[in-house]
Amino acid sequence: RFIRFNPCNDDYHAFQAAWTEEFAFVDRAASAVCLLSNEKIASMKQSNLKRHIDTHHALFASKYPAGDSRKRACEELQRRVQTSQQQLRVWTRQGDRNSASFAGALAIVRNGKPFTDGEYAKTFMLDVANELFDDFPNKDKIIKRIKDMPHSARTVHDRSIMMANQVEETQIKDINAGTYCSPALDESTDVSHLSQCSIIARYAAGDTLREESLAVLPMKGTTRGEDLFTSFMEFTKEKKLPMDKLTSVCTDAVPCMLGKNKRFVALLREHEKRDILSFHCILHQEVLCAQTCGQELGEVMLLVIRVLKALLEEVGNHYPGLLSHSNVRWLSRGKVLSCFAACLSEIQTFLEMKGVKHPELDNTDWLLQFHYLVDITGHLNQLNVKKQGIGNTISSLQQAVFAFESKLEVFLRDIETGRLLHFERLQQFRDACLASDSTQHLDLQQLAGFTSNLLYSSHLMESWKVLRNSKLWAREHKWTEMKNLQPEDQLILKTWNELPVTYHTMQRVNIAVLTMFGSTHACEQSFSHMRNIKTNLRSRLTDGSLNACMKLNLTTYEPDYSKTM
């Protein structure tokens, strides 16, 4: 049976004015719009409107039963909506002031200032403008514009969230439009001892290789591999990130990241049901390599730390230890050794005055090892600096390591021949010893052994054959053109994008290689920004506010105020 549509049926009437008072709906662009939730009901049927208010706004319906009380409540709602629409029109006409408000909020965030500084900035601008534009005929207009500019703490906070959301939308759009994407992940704690997981992504957007902070995920429970994986997958699902474009992942060597079973990388591979390339941060591998130099050099470093710690305690320093020293940061270790070497004679005098005896400081063999350690950590620092920063491709990091291996061969011959052209501190100490006693024998062969161990360390020589791994990966995907991979200086994104369609497969492979991370240094940089933003004075900063501030500080995109307003 067919039911004939009757246009006179009450259920299919056009919008009725009484529905505003009865159901809190208004007519907007040929649709019924709820004043309470701003939801649209396309089919203007009285039963649909009644069902909506009874189902979604039961509390309102019970508080204001049909009659005069609901009529007054709906009139008040309509008045508020009209007021907000008028305010929106005013803001639209005052685009310059809104743009200035967004610009001010961005400056506050990028300078690590609290949101409450917005009012101070506005007061500062008013005081300056009052004097600076004193001879301007339109001074009053300038002052009024500054006064009308919204810049309260809430406004700065809301502007920051809006700009961060807009940047995030652009990031997600470019990732989805690109060919491949690779993340780097690391975990650390903030000032409130809350674990945070930083996700940095590298992807090709047109002719530009982007390296962007996608998120800082709070880990409020445990930080096991399963927890990190769950947070990561929830984030990718929420933001609709294309997991099929993920080619590799770079982490450090913490247990929750690497492992065969319930670690992050293993769970990621299991979820994607494919072999995803994973790389251990090359900066951490360099440390593992450097730690193979020998137990003797480790004992040299430990003595340096003990002596400096005693010195700090004696002079009443507030720090109980060497905060600048870290096993995984050879830049700080090299600086400690360099300062110790520069003050060695003063330190020996100080220890004699205090009656503290460290016979090693007068032992020629120990001092020989010490000065060698000063020089070799200096060379390691140079390598470390080259591998830091934004935009380092995996191939450039690999070439830096291979170049250092070649240097180590030169260093080894330099020590074996006794020329010491690349060991300035060691050469000065050797020459001073020979000047005081020309018959003294200095054994450099042990130092040559340290250098040899460093050169042939399995961590440095074997674990970073990156191009070999990527070629195996390409062969598994039947991308045989990978065997003709060009040298690094030709791996320029714009060049690959201009290749004809004939080389489409090789183009995709090389773009994938360019997106791969070789280190988690970008994550460590993001944590440095986090500690500057979330300080002891701002320890209650919410997760959303922290993420917005981090994104606006680290992104290479510039927010578009016209799209944000």
Side-chain angles (χ1 to χ4, degrees):
R1 296 179 59 188
F2 293 94
I3 299 176
R4 184 181 298 275
F5 170 71
N6 183 4
C8 296
N9 192 311
D10 288 343
D11 283 345
Y12 294 94
H13 280 168
F15 187 86
Q16 303 296 311
W19 291 351
T20 300
E21 301 174 359
E22 189 173 356
F23 305 116
F25 271 84
V26 293
D27 183 17
R28 192 179 300 164
S31 297
V33 180
C34 178
L35 291 171
L36 293 165
S37 60
N38 203 35
E39 294 184 27
K40 292 182 180 180
I41 304 296
S43 180
M44 292 192 188
K45 298 171 62 177
Q46 180 174 330
S47 59
N48 289 345
L49 273 61
K50 185 177 186 304
R51 184 184 306 111
H52 178 86
I53 192 170
D54 290 342
T55 304
H56 298 283
H57 307 296
L59 182 62
F60 176 83
S62 62
K63 185 176 182 180
Y64 302 103
D68 292 340
S69 61
R70 181 175 296 186
K71 179 180 178 180
R72 288 192 296 270
C74 291
E75 288 175 351
E76 178 64 20
L77 281 173
Q78 191 172 16
R79 186 188 65 79
R80 290 181 181 180
V81 170
Q82 290 173 348
T83 302
S84 63
Q85 289 177 341
Q86 291 173 358
Q87 185 63 46
L88 180 62
R89 286 192 290 270
V90 170
W91 282 0
T92 303
R93 291 194 300 268
Q94 297 176 348
D96 291 343
R97 267 161 281 187
N98 271 316
S99 296
S101 177
F102 277 100
L106 185 62
I108 288 173
V109 170
R110 286 185 170 172
N111 283 279
K113 301 300 181 181
F115 299 142
T116 51
D117 275 12
E119 290 291 352
Y120 163 74
K122 187 174 179 178
T123 303
F124 171 81
M125 291 173 64
L126 286 170
D127 292 343
V128 171
N130 191 50
E131 300 296 332
L132 189 63
F133 304 111
D134 189 52
D135 57 340
F136 279 47
N138 59 340
K139 173 186 174 182
D140 294 339
K141 184 178 180 180
I142 295 173
I143 298 296
K144 186 177 184 305
R145 284 204 171 188
I146 297 175
K147 287 182 178 180
D148 292 343
M149 180 182 66
H151 224 47
S152 65
R154 171 54 62 180
T155 300
V156 174
H157 169 270
D158 293 344
R159 297 283 195 264
S160 303
I161 299 294
M162 293 168 67
M163 287 186 288
N165 290 340
Q166 193 228 348
V167 168
E168 185 176 82
E169 290 175 3
T170 307
Q171 291 172 335
I172 303 301
K173 179 182 177 182
D174 285 348
I175 290 175
N176 280 279
T179 309
Y180 294 108
C181 174
S182 295
L185 292 92
D186 202 357
E187 182 265 336
S188 185
T189 55
D190 58 25
V191 68
S192 58
H193 305 291
L194 176 65
S195 294
Q196 305 278 359
C197 178
S198 176
I199 305 176
I200 310 291
R202 181 180 287 168
Y203 54 91
D207 293 337
T208 305
L209 194 65
R210 297 280 187 179
E211 192 170 302
E212 291 285 318
S213 172
L214 292 187
V216 177
L217 305 179
M219 306 296 298
K220 297 185 178 181
T222 57
T223 56
R224 301 171 302 171
E226 300 97 313
D227 304 315
L228 292 170
F229 173 75
T230 300
S231 296
F232 177 76
M233 293 308 299
E234 288 177 352
F235 171 75
T236 57
K237 184 177 180 180
E238 177 189 353
K239 304 303 178 183
K240 298 180 180 180
L241 288 172
M243 293 298 291
D244 58 320
K245 296 183 179 181
L246 191 147
T247 58
S248 70
V249 59
C250 183
T251 66
D252 61 7
V254 294
C256 63
M257 290 292 186
L258 300 177
K260 293 183 179 180
N261 298 318
K262 297 298 182 181
R263 303 304 184 225
F264 176 84
V265 175
L267 291 171
L268 185 63
R269 287 171 175 164
E270 181 182 350
H271 180 272
E272 293 299 305
K273 296 181 174 59
R274 59 190 176 94
D275 187 20
I276 298 174
L277 287 175
S278 66
F279 298 110
H280 173 197
C281 177
I282 193 171
L283 295 176
H284 293 263
Q285 290 213 5
E286 174 194 326
V287 174
L288 295 176
C289 164
Q291 289 175 349
T292 64
C293 289
Q295 182 180 358
E296 296 88 345
L297 294 184
E299 292 175 354
V300 171
M301 188 70 208
L302 290 175
L303 178 59
V304 170
I305 296 172
R306 287 201 303 271
V307 171
L308 285 180
K309 184 177 180 180
L311 179 63
L312 290 175
E313 292 174 349
E314 178 63 28
V315 297
N317 197 288
H318 296 294
Y319 302 109
L322 292 175
L323 298 184
S324 61
H325 169 70
S326 172
N327 285 332
V328 296
R329 289 174 175 82
W330 277 72
L331 283 177
S332 60
R333 173 174 291 201
K335 291 177 180 177
V336 168
L337 290 168
S338 179
C339 292
F340 193 93
C343 305
L344 184 58
S345 59
E346 289 81 0
I347 290 173
Q348 289 174 326
T349 303
F350 167 79
L351 293 176
E352 290 177 0
M353 290 174 56
K354 296 298 179 181
V356 179
K357 295 183 179 180
H358 286 289
E360 295 91 345
L361 297 181
D362 295 320
N363 185 285
T364 303
D365 292 335
W366 187 92
L367 291 172
L368 201 67
Q369 295 175 8
F370 167 73
H371 287 94
Y372 167 82
L373 190 59
V374 173
D375 288 326
I376 200 64
T377 51
H379 292 305
L380 284 167
N381 285 351
Q382 293 178 11
L383 172 63
N384 194 304
V385 171
K386 288 181 180 178
K387 294 187 297 184
Q388 294 183 13
I390 302 296
N392 283 328
T393 63
I394 200 167
S395 55
S396 65
L397 295 176
Q398 183 195 30
Q399 291 303 319
V401 172
F402 289 167
F404 187 73
E405 290 176 2
S406 300
K407 284 185 178 181
L408 286 175
E409 294 177 355
V410 176
F411 296 162
L412 181 58
R413 291 195 297 269
D414 193 29
I415 294 176
E416 290 175 341
T417 58
R419 301 177 66 186
L420 303 182
L421 299 177
H422 300 280
F423 295 86
E424 181 181 0
R425 290 281 185 181
L426 183 59
Q427 184 186 47
Q428 292 175 357
F429 176 72
R430 191 268 311 268
D431 293 345
C433 289
L434 294 179
S436 60
D437 185 1
S438 59
T439 62
Q440 188 175 10
H441 173 69
L442 299 177
D443 184 15
L444 299 179
Q445 292 306 310
Q446 186 182 29
L447 306 182
F450 295 150
T451 309
S452 180
N453 291 339
L454 187 59
L455 174 61
Y456 295 106
S457 168
S458 59
H459 293 291
L460 187 61
M461 296 294 291
E462 295 298 331
S463 62
W464 261 85
K465 302 299 182 182
V466 177
L467 292 184
R468 181 194 66 183
N469 291 338
S470 57
K471 288 180 181 179
L472 290 173
W473 175 65
R475 188 167 65 247
E476 290 175 2
H477 290 75
K478 303 187 185 305
W479 291 344
T480 55
E481 294 94 334
M482 189 66 182
K483 64 183 181 181
N484 297 320
L485 180 66
Q486 299 292 320
E488 181 204 353
D489 58 347
Q490 296 181 24
L491 289 177
I492 303 173
L493 193 58
K494 185 176 181 180
T495 304
W496 290 115
N497 285 335
E498 292 176 352
L499 287 177
V501 179
T502 308
Y503 302 97
H504 177 68
T505 303
M506 187 167 67
Q507 175 196 45
R508 288 166 59 87
V509 172
N510 287 282
I511 290 177
V513 172
L514 286 174
T515 62
M516 295 177 184
F517 276 98
S519 76
T520 57
H521 183 256
C523 296
E524 294 176 5
Q525 283 189 317
S526 71
F527 289 135
S528 297
H529 281 283
M530 177 184 70
R531 295 181 184 103
N532 291 332
I533 295 169
K534 192 172 183 179
T535 62
N536 289 325
L537 299 178
R538 301 181 74 190
S539 60
R540 298 182 64 183
L541 198 66
T542 64
D543 297 333
S545 299
L546 175 62
N547 192 55
C549 292
M550 291 279 289
K551 190 175 289 291
L552 293 176
N553 269 279
L554 297 172
T555 185
T556 57
Y557 294 99
E558 285 297 327
D560 188 345
Y561 306 143
S562 61
K563 293 182 180 179
T564 308
M565 290 187 294

